[in-house]
Amino acid sequence: MSASTSAATSAATPVTRGAIAAHPVLGIPPAPPAQAVAYFGASLAFHADVSDVASALADGRDPGFVVLDSRSTESWDQGHVPGAIHLPTALVPAQAEQLLDRSVPVVTYCWGPGCNGATRAALALAQLGFQVKEMLGGFEYWVREGFAYETWEGRREPVADPLTAPVGAAACGC
């Protein structure tokens, strides 16, 4: 059997339960559907997508949540989501009760996927009894997806990065 025939045959052979997969994707089989529903449902309860947050803020109605930037003052001045509340992570325990309404869910963000400041801020808020979600991608992906932001100098309108947002389309269709 030639190498190409062997590859075609193995690609068409389904992975059976209990079989060791030839690659890491199925080396550990997918979770049963009920477990997947619980996991992915929980993930959506804890996380919000940048474009979903932007869409909710842009439609002109009350989005039903507030956005909290958990970065330093220098970072805030460099750029932040329009309408966000600024509360650095370290100050959440001392100042959240004065700045936020417990009846309004909070969406936290920090710099980006490599930063866990928004996660730590969300934890501190949850410990204080607030409903909270973390905005995946943080400020980095807000800008990369082309959403307007504010700096100490005024409003900025970035160009969307074609690797993170569709070019010429209103939404990604996710």
Side-chain angles (χ1 to χ4, degrees):
M1 181 183 299
S2 72
S4 62
T5 303
S6 174
T9 302
S10 65
T13 304
V15 176
T16 59
R17 187 177 281 288
I20 297 176
H23 52 77
V25 172
L26 296 176
I28 297 174
Q35 287 180 351
V37 167
Y39 174 84
F40 293 117
S43 179
L44 292 172
F46 296 116
H47 302 111
D49 179 85
V50 166
S51 59
D52 291 340
V53 171
S55 176
L57 294 175
D59 81 1
R61 296 177 292 173
D62 177 359
F65 61 86
V66 296
V67 178
L68 186 140
D69 184 317
S70 65
R71 300 172 301 147
S72 69
T73 299
E74 296 81 10
S75 299
W76 168 266
D77 289 345
Q78 190 174 328
H80 56 271
V81 172
I85 294 170
H86 181 228
L87 182 57
T89 299
L91 300 178
V92 168
Q95 296 181 10
E97 309 244 4
Q98 290 82 27
L99 294 174
L100 302 169
D101 179 344
R102 277 188 203 287
S103 68
V104 179
V106 179
V107 176
T108 63
Y109 74 89
C110 200
W111 271 114
C115 175
N116 70 0
T119 305
R120 289 184 287 117
L123 174 60
L125 287 165
Q127 289 170 331
L128 292 170
F130 289 89
Q131 294 179 334
V132 64
K133 287 188 174 201
E134 179 181 6
M135 185 172 78
L136 295 175
F139 186 67
E140 176 188 349
Y141 276 75
W142 184 272
V143 174
R144 289 184 73 186
E145 291 190 25
F147 300 117
Y149 63 96
E150 298 174 343
T151 74
W152 66 274
E153 296 175 309
R155 188 174 175 92
R156 301 273 194 246
E157 301 278 344
V159 175
D161 179 340
L163 296 177
T164 64
V167 177
C172 68
C174 297

